[in-house]
Amino acid sequence: MSVLGATFAWSLVLHSAAPKAETAWRPLPLITDGKVDPAWMHTGWGGFVVDDGALRTECDPKGLGLLVYKKDKFGNCQIRVVFKNKEARSNSGVYVRIADGILEQPPQPGAAFDRDATGKPSTESAEKMKAAAEREEGPWFAVHRGYEVQIADGGDPIHRTGAIYSLAPSSAVSKKAPGEWKTMIITLAGNRVFVDIDGQRITSFDPASAELPARKQWYEPKREPKRPEVGYLGLQNHDPGDVVWFQEVSVRPLPADDSK
């Protein structure tokens, strides 16, 4: 091989070995003038408040709610969420692939729980909530027309942090204690969803899989509706006592290595 040919070949090796520059993350605005940024809208009960530079769930005994980013829909991309929970059981979630109808939900929050002194809903209000959920009212639209990436360390693998709620299990939970910031990266690739917590891949979900578990409870998502590959995202507030903070929600294009 000539000196020129050897030099050219070596330059190709160096070029192929060079690390690819990662696309920068684009933070979604969370707080403006000390309030929840107007790019977000809320449906259902409760809400979010600003607490020490982060958004914090402000739950209501009447039922769950959902804060939806209304300015953009997201297809193939990665979503980075930095969060912390007050307790291991603190319940929240990040919704992805929510269908267009979610923007029509704020006027109809759905039925409300009527709870006794211990926090237990009355039988009558529970039945009304089940009916509202079946009609996909308010935040229940996202439950059945999107996917929830769960936040709640205390559940079983299919209902704990990182799981696609009741559809795909997480293989592990973060070793960080409640009160410590954790980083979740959700990868949307075609119709599939992958979840990493603190750098560890813990969930892989393919809605076309023949091994999807059956729906067992009324509050679990319906399996039938096909979720869009380009949809809205949201943050859930759950029951009183379920305190979760969100410090960052950022997005970036899907890296080339994850596009297959």
Side-chain angles (χ1 to χ4, degrees), residues 129-156:
M129 184 66 76
K130 290 180 184 180
E134 193 66 21
R135 293 192 298 267
E136 303 175 4
E137 294 178 355
W140 294 101
F141 181 92
V143 172
H144 302 305
R145 302 284 173 171
Y147 296 124
E148 179 189 1
V149 183
Q150 173 76 334
I151 294 175
D153 293 345
D156 60 71

PDB file of all heavy atoms in Angstrom, residues 129-156:
ATOM      1  N   MET A 129     -66.718   6.834  39.783  1.00  0.00           N
ATOM      2  CA  MET A 129     -65.371   6.997  39.250  1.00  0.00           C
ATOM      3  C   MET A 129     -65.073   5.925  38.205  1.00  0.00           C
ATOM      4  O   MET A 129     -64.468   6.206  37.164  1.00  0.00           O
ATOM      5  CB  MET A 129     -64.352   6.941  40.382  1.00  0.00           C
ATOM      6  CG  MET A 129     -62.918   7.201  39.930  1.00  0.00           C
ATOM      7  SD  MET A 129     -62.652   8.892  39.329  1.00  0.00           S
ATOM      8  CE  MET A 129     -62.603   9.785  40.889  1.00  0.00           C
ATOM      9  N   LYS A 130     -65.474   4.698  38.480  1.00  0.00           N
ATOM     10  CA  LYS A 130     -65.273   3.615  37.507  1.00  0.00           C
ATOM     11  C   LYS A 130     -65.967   3.950  36.190  1.00  0.00           C
ATOM     12  O   LYS A 130     -65.413   3.736  35.106  1.00  0.00           O
ATOM     13  CB  LYS A 130     -65.819   2.299  38.062  1.00  0.00           C
ATOM     14  CG  LYS A 130     -65.026   1.721  39.204  1.00  0.00           C
ATOM     15  CD  LYS A 130     -65.657   0.409  39.674  1.00  0.00           C
ATOM     16  CE  LYS A 130     -64.945  -0.142  40.892  1.00  0.00           C
ATOM     17  NZ  LYS A 130     -65.555  -1.416  41.364  1.00  0.00           N
ATOM     18  N   ALA A 131     -67.184   4.483  36.283  1.00  0.00           N
ATOM     19  CA  ALA A 131     -67.933   4.827  35.069  1.00  0.00           C
ATOM     20  C   ALA A 131     -67.244   5.962  34.313  1.00  0.00           C
ATOM     21  O   ALA A 131     -67.161   5.944  33.082  1.00  0.00           O
ATOM     22  CB  ALA A 131     -69.367   5.213  35.433  1.00  0.00           C
ATOM     23  N   ALA A 132     -66.737   6.970  35.049  1.00  0.00           N
ATOM     24  CA  ALA A 132     -66.039   8.076  34.411  1.00  0.00           C
ATOM     25  C   ALA A 132     -64.756   7.601  33.745  1.00  0.00           C
ATOM     26  O   ALA A 132     -64.394   8.063  32.655  1.00  0.00           O
ATOM     27  CB  ALA A 132     -65.724   9.161  35.445  1.00  0.00           C
ATOM     28  N   ALA A 133     -64.076   6.667  34.406  1.00  0.00           N
ATOM     29  CA  ALA A 133     -62.852   6.111  33.822  1.00  0.00           C
ATOM     30  C   ALA A 133     -63.167   5.358  32.540  1.00  0.00           C
ATOM     31  O   ALA A 133     -62.441   5.464  31.541  1.00  0.00           O
ATOM     32  CB  ALA A 133     -62.173   5.191  34.832  1.00  0.00           C
ATOM     33  N   GLU A 134     -64.262   4.603  32.554  1.00  0.00           N
ATOM     34  CA  GLU A 134     -64.644   3.845  31.362  1.00  0.00           C
ATOM     35  C   GLU A 134     -65.016   4.780  30.212  1.00  0.00           C
ATOM     36  O   GLU A 134     -64.768   4.479  29.043  1.00  0.00           O
ATOM     37  CB  GLU A 134     -65.813   2.918  31.698  1.00  0.00           C
ATOM     38  CG  GLU A 134     -66.091   1.860  30.647  1.00  0.00           C
ATOM     39  CD  GLU A 134     -64.971   0.838  30.503  1.00  0.00           C
ATOM     40  OE1 GLU A 134     -64.158   0.680  31.451  1.00  0.00           O
ATOM     41  OE2 GLU A 134     -64.909   0.200  29.433  1.00  0.00           O
ATOM     42  N   ARG A 135     -65.574   5.945  30.549  1.00  0.00           N
ATOM     43  CA  ARG A 135     -65.920   6.939  29.525  1.00  0.00           C
ATOM     44  C   ARG A 135     -64.698   7.763  29.095  1.00  0.00           C
ATOM     45  O   ARG A 135     -64.809   8.605  28.204  1.00  0.00           O
ATOM     46  CB  ARG A 135     -67.009   7.884  30.045  1.00  0.00           C
ATOM     47  CG  ARG A 135     -68.354   7.231  30.274  1.00  0.00           C
ATOM     48  CD  ARG A 135     -69.445   8.279  30.497  1.00  0.00           C
ATOM     49  NE  ARG A 135     -69.182   9.098  31.691  1.00  0.00           N
ATOM     50  CZ  ARG A 135     -69.659   8.829  32.909  1.00  0.00           C
ATOM     51  NH1 ARG A 135     -70.400   7.738  33.100  1.00  0.00           N
ATOM     52  NH2 ARG A 135     -69.399   9.630  33.937  1.00  0.00           N
ATOM     53  N   GLU A 136     -63.580   7.532  29.748  1.00  0.00           N
ATOM     54  CA  GLU A 136     -62.311   8.196  29.419  1.00  0.00           C
ATOM     55  C   GLU A 136     -62.394   9.712  29.615  1.00  0.00           C
ATOM     56  O   GLU A 136     -61.921  10.499  28.809  1.00  0.00           O
ATOM     57  CB  GLU A 136     -61.879   7.848  27.992  1.00  0.00           C
ATOM     58  CG  GLU A 136     -61.745   6.359  27.757  1.00  0.00           C
ATOM     59  CD  GLU A 136     -61.428   5.992  26.322  1.00  0.00           C
ATOM     60  OE1 GLU A 136     -61.229   6.910  25.490  1.00  0.00           O
ATOM     61  OE2 GLU A 136     -61.381   4.784  26.024  1.00  0.00           O
ATOM     62  N   GLU A 137     -62.949  10.119  30.753  1.00  0.00           N
ATOM     63  CA  GLU A 137     -63.104  11.539  31.054  1.00  0.00           C
ATOM     64  C   GLU A 137     -61.875  12.089  31.761  1.00  0.00           C
ATOM     65  O   GLU A 137     -61.272  11.423  32.597  1.00  0.00           O
ATOM     66  CB  GLU A 137     -64.336  11.763  31.937  1.00  0.00           C
ATOM     67  CG  GLU A 137     -65.646  11.447  31.239  1.00  0.00           C
ATOM     68  CD  GLU A 137     -66.854  11.626  32.136  1.00  0.00           C
ATOM     69  OE1 GLU A 137     -66.672  11.901  33.352  1.00  0.00           O
ATOM     70  OE2 GLU A 137     -67.984  11.486  31.639  1.00  0.00           O
ATOM     71  N   GLY A 138     -61.538  13.328  31.455  1.00  0.00           N
ATOM     72  CA  GLY A 138     -60.439  14.005  32.121  1.00  0.00           C
ATOM     73  C   GLY A 138     -59.141  13.235  31.997  1.00  0.00           C
ATOM     74  O   GLY A 138     -58.763  12.789  30.910  1.00  0.00           O
ATOM     75  N   PRO A 139     -58.420  13.032  33.111  1.00  0.00           N
ATOM     76  CA  PRO A 139     -57.135  12.328  33.046  1.00  0.00           C
ATOM     77  C   PRO A 139     -57.261  10.871  32.623  1.00  0.00           C
ATOM     78  O   PRO A 139     -56.283  10.273  32.159  1.00  0.00           O
ATOM     79  CB  PRO A 139     -56.598  12.432  34.484  1.00  0.00           C
ATOM     80  CG  PRO A 139     -57.811  12.657  35.334  1.00  0.00           C
ATOM     81  CD  PRO A 139     -58.744  13.474  34.488  1.00  0.00           C
ATOM     82  N   TRP A 140     -58.471  10.311  32.750  1.00  0.00           N
ATOM     83  CA  TRP A 140     -58.657   8.918  32.333  1.00  0.00           C
ATOM     84  C   TRP A 140     -58.516   8.755  30.819  1.00  0.00           C
ATOM     85  O   TRP A 140     -58.245   7.650  30.335  1.00  0.00           O
ATOM     86  CB  TRP A 140     -60.010   8.402  32.815  1.00  0.00           C
ATOM     87  CG  TRP A 140     -60.083   8.327  34.300  1.00  0.00           C
ATOM     88  CD1 TRP A 140     -60.695   9.211  35.144  1.00  0.00           C
ATOM     89  CD2 TRP A 140     -59.463   7.353  35.130  1.00  0.00           C
ATOM     90  NE1 TRP A 140     -60.510   8.839  36.447  1.00  0.00           N
ATOM     91  CE2 TRP A 140     -59.754   7.699  36.478  1.00  0.00           C
ATOM     92  CE3 TRP A 140     -58.694   6.212  34.884  1.00  0.00           C
ATOM     93  CZ2 TRP A 140     -59.300   6.941  37.547  1.00  0.00           C
ATOM     94  CZ3 TRP A 140     -58.232   5.462  35.958  1.00  0.00           C
ATOM     95  CH2 TRP A 140     -58.541   5.824  37.268  1.00  0.00           C
ATOM     96  N   PHE A 141     -58.680   9.857  30.086  1.00  0.00           N
ATOM     97  CA  PHE A 141     -58.426   9.791  28.644  1.00  0.00           C
ATOM     98  C   PHE A 141     -56.979   9.371  28.399  1.00  0.00           C
ATOM     99  O   PHE A 141     -56.691   8.527  27.540  1.00  0.00           O
ATOM    100  CB  PHE A 141     -58.705  11.149  27.991  1.00  0.00           C
ATOM    101  CG  PHE A 141     -58.492  11.165  26.503  1.00  0.00           C
ATOM    102  CD1 PHE A 141     -59.540  10.891  25.637  1.00  0.00           C
ATOM    103  CD2 PHE A 141     -57.248  11.447  25.957  1.00  0.00           C
ATOM    104  CE1 PHE A 141     -59.347  10.893  24.264  1.00  0.00           C
ATOM    105  CE2 PHE A 141     -57.039  11.457  24.596  1.00  0.00           C
ATOM    106  CZ  PHE A 141     -58.094  11.180  23.739  1.00  0.00           C
ATOM    107  N   ALA A 142     -56.048   9.967  29.154  1.00  0.00           N
ATOM    108  CA  ALA A 142     -54.632   9.640  28.988  1.00  0.00           C
ATOM    109  C   ALA A 142     -54.321   8.219  29.446  1.00  0.00           C
ATOM    110  O   ALA A 142     -53.447   7.556  28.875  1.00  0.00           O
ATOM    111  CB  ALA A 142     -53.771  10.642  29.751  1.00  0.00           C
ATOM    112  N   VAL A 143     -55.022   7.753  30.477  1.00  0.00           N
ATOM    113  CA  VAL A 143     -54.813   6.381  30.941  1.00  0.00           C
ATOM    114  C   VAL A 143     -55.075   5.392  29.812  1.00  0.00           C
ATOM    115  O   VAL A 143     -54.303   4.440  29.597  1.00  0.00           O
ATOM    116  CB  VAL A 143     -55.722   6.073  32.148  1.00  0.00           C
ATOM    117  CG1 VAL A 143     -55.652   4.586  32.513  1.00  0.00           C
ATOM    118  CG2 VAL A 143     -55.333   6.929  33.345  1.00  0.00           C
ATOM    119  N   HIS A 144     -56.161   5.621  29.069  1.00  0.00           N
ATOM    120  CA  HIS A 144     -56.579   4.665  28.044  1.00  0.00           C
ATOM    121  C   HIS A 144     -56.122   5.024  26.642  1.00  0.00           C
ATOM    122  O   HIS A 144     -56.199   4.196  25.729  1.00  0.00           O
ATOM    123  CB  HIS A 144     -58.106   4.543  28.065  1.00  0.00           C
ATOM    124  CG  HIS A 144     -58.658   4.106  29.381  1.00  0.00           C
ATOM    125  ND1 HIS A 144     -58.262   2.952  30.018  1.00  0.00           N
ATOM    126  CD2 HIS A 144     -59.579   4.687  30.216  1.00  0.00           C
ATOM    127  CE1 HIS A 144     -58.910   2.827  31.166  1.00  0.00           C
ATOM    128  NE2 HIS A 144     -59.712   3.862  31.309  1.00  0.00           N
ATOM    129  N   ARG A 145     -55.653   6.251  26.444  1.00  0.00           N
ATOM    130  CA  ARG A 145     -55.227   6.700  25.114  1.00  0.00           C
ATOM    131  C   ARG A 145     -53.766   7.157  25.128  1.00  0.00           C
ATOM    132  O   ARG A 145     -53.356   7.966  24.297  1.00  0.00           O
ATOM    133  CB  ARG A 145     -56.127   7.853  24.644  1.00  0.00           C
ATOM    134  CG  ARG A 145     -57.599   7.500  24.584  1.00  0.00           C
ATOM    135  CD  ARG A 145     -57.933   6.643  23.384  1.00  0.00           C
ATOM    136  NE  ARG A 145     -59.308   6.171  23.411  1.00  0.00           N
ATOM    137  CZ  ARG A 145     -59.909   5.553  22.391  1.00  0.00           C
ATOM    138  NH1 ARG A 145     -59.259   5.373  21.262  1.00  0.00           N
ATOM    139  NH2 ARG A 145     -61.154   5.133  22.508  1.00  0.00           N
ATOM    140  N   GLY A 146     -53.013   6.653  26.086  1.00  0.00           N
ATOM    141  CA  GLY A 146     -51.589   6.926  26.180  1.00  0.00           C
ATOM    142  C   GLY A 146     -50.953   5.828  27.006  1.00  0.00           C
ATOM    143  O   GLY A 146     -51.589   4.820  27.328  1.00  0.00           O
ATOM    144  N   TYR A 147     -49.683   5.995  27.348  1.00  0.00           N
ATOM    145  CA  TYR A 147     -48.992   5.042  28.216  1.00  0.00           C
ATOM    146  C   TYR A 147     -48.433   5.782  29.419  1.00  0.00           C
ATOM    147  O   TYR A 147     -47.868   6.871  29.282  1.00  0.00           O
ATOM    148  CB  TYR A 147     -47.836   4.363  27.480  1.00  0.00           C
ATOM    149  CG  TYR A 147     -48.249   3.500  26.319  1.00  0.00           C
ATOM    150  CD1 TYR A 147     -47.728   3.721  25.043  1.00  0.00           C
ATOM    151  CD2 TYR A 147     -49.152   2.442  26.475  1.00  0.00           C
ATOM    152  CE1 TYR A 147     -48.083   2.929  23.970  1.00  0.00           C
ATOM    153  CE2 TYR A 147     -49.523   1.646  25.402  1.00  0.00           C
ATOM    154  CZ  TYR A 147     -48.979   1.894  24.146  1.00  0.00           C
ATOM    155  OH  TYR A 147     -49.347   1.107  23.080  1.00  0.00           O
ATOM    156  N   GLU A 148     -48.563   5.182  30.598  1.00  0.00           N
ATOM    157  CA  GLU A 148     -47.989   5.758  31.804  1.00  0.00           C
ATOM    158  C   GLU A 148     -46.688   5.056  32.162  1.00  0.00           C
ATOM    159  O   GLU A 148     -46.674   3.831  32.361  1.00  0.00           O
ATOM    160  CB  GLU A 148     -48.955   5.650  32.989  1.00  0.00           C
ATOM    161  CG  GLU A 148     -48.356   6.227  34.273  1.00  0.00           C
ATOM    162  CD  GLU A 148     -49.191   5.958  35.511  1.00  0.00           C
ATOM    163  OE1 GLU A 148     -50.244   5.296  35.400  1.00  0.00           O
ATOM    164  OE2 GLU A 148     -48.773   6.391  36.597  1.00  0.00           O
ATOM    165  N   VAL A 149     -45.616   5.826  32.253  1.00  0.00           N
ATOM    166  CA  VAL A 149     -44.374   5.325  32.834  1.00  0.00           C
ATOM    167  C   VAL A 149     -44.472   5.617  34.326  1.00  0.00           C
ATOM    168  O   VAL A 149     -44.433   6.763  34.750  1.00  0.00           O
ATOM    169  CB  VAL A 149     -43.143   6.002  32.202  1.00  0.00           C
ATOM    170  CG1 VAL A 149     -41.867   5.401  32.789  1.00  0.00           C
ATOM    171  CG2 VAL A 149     -43.154   5.846  30.684  1.00  0.00           C
ATOM    172  N   GLN A 150     -44.616   4.588  35.102  1.00  0.00           N
ATOM    173  CA  GLN A 150     -44.975   4.716  36.512  1.00  0.00           C
ATOM    174  C   GLN A 150     -43.848   5.308  37.361  1.00  0.00           C
ATOM    175  O   GLN A 150     -42.659   5.083  37.094  1.00  0.00           O
ATOM    176  CB  GLN A 150     -45.363   3.335  37.058  1.00  0.00           C
ATOM    177  CG  GLN A 150     -45.608   3.272  38.540  1.00  0.00           C
ATOM    178  CD  GLN A 150     -46.946   3.856  38.951  1.00  0.00           C
ATOM    179  OE1 GLN A 150     -47.503   4.706  38.276  1.00  0.00           O
ATOM    180  NE2 GLN A 150     -47.470   3.402  40.068  1.00  0.00           N
ATOM    181  N   ILE A 151     -44.249   6.058  38.377  1.00  0.00           N
ATOM    182  CA  ILE A 151     -43.361   6.466  39.470  1.00  0.00           C
ATOM    183  C   ILE A 151     -44.023   6.009  40.760  1.00  0.00           C
ATOM    184  O   ILE A 151     -45.085   6.496  41.135  1.00  0.00           O
ATOM    185  CB  ILE A 151     -43.135   7.985  39.493  1.00  0.00           C
ATOM    186  CG1 ILE A 151     -42.352   8.435  38.248  1.00  0.00           C
ATOM    187  CG2 ILE A 151     -42.400   8.406  40.761  1.00  0.00           C
ATOM    188  CD1 ILE A 151     -42.195   9.939  38.132  1.00  0.00           C
ATOM    189  N   ALA A 152     -43.438   5.029  41.426  1.00  0.00           N
ATOM    190  CA  ALA A 152     -43.899   4.498  42.722  1.00  0.00           C
ATOM    191  C   ALA A 152     -43.018   3.293  43.017  1.00  0.00           C
ATOM    192  O   ALA A 152     -43.204   2.224  42.441  1.00  0.00           O
ATOM    193  CB  ALA A 152     -45.363   4.090  42.699  1.00  0.00           C
ATOM    194  N   ASP A 153     -42.042   3.452  43.889  1.00  0.00           N
ATOM    195  CA  ASP A 153     -41.053   2.395  44.097  1.00  0.00           C
ATOM    196  C   ASP A 153     -41.604   1.180  44.824  1.00  0.00           C
ATOM    197  O   ASP A 153     -41.013   0.106  44.767  1.00  0.00           O
ATOM    198  CB  ASP A 153     -39.860   2.944  44.898  1.00  0.00           C
ATOM    199  CG  ASP A 153     -39.064   3.979  44.119  1.00  0.00           C
ATOM    200  OD1 ASP A 153     -39.248   4.075  42.892  1.00  0.00           O
ATOM    201  OD2 ASP A 153     -38.265   4.701  44.744  1.00  0.00           O
ATOM    202  N   GLY A 154     -42.733   1.324  45.505  1.00  0.00           N
ATOM    203  CA  GLY A 154     -43.177   0.254  46.381  1.00  0.00           C
ATOM    204  C   GLY A 154     -44.001  -0.838  45.730  1.00  0.00           C
ATOM    205  O   GLY A 154     -44.357  -1.810  46.401  1.00  0.00           O
ATOM    206  N   GLY A 155     -44.338  -0.724  44.446  1.00  0.00           N
ATOM    207  CA  GLY A 155     -45.229  -1.698  43.823  1.00  0.00           C
ATOM    208  C   GLY A 155     -44.518  -2.933  43.305  1.00  0.00           C
ATOM    209  O   GLY A 155     -43.298  -3.078  43.410  1.00  0.00           O
ATOM    210  N   ASP A 156     -45.303  -3.850  42.732  1.00  0.00           N
ATOM    211  CA  ASP A 156     -44.730  -5.024  42.086  1.00  0.00           C
ATOM    212  C   ASP A 156     -44.104  -4.595  40.755  1.00  0.00           C
ATOM    213  O   ASP A 156     -44.296  -3.447  40.313  1.00  0.00           O
ATOM    214  CB  ASP A 156     -45.808  -6.092  41.887  1.00  0.00           C
ATOM    215  CG  ASP A 156     -46.958  -5.595  41.027  1.00  0.00           C
ATOM    216  OD1 ASP A 156     -46.768  -5.411  39.812  1.00  0.00           O
ATOM    217  OD2 ASP A 156     -48.052  -5.352  41.584  1.00  0.00           O
TER     218      ASP A 156
END
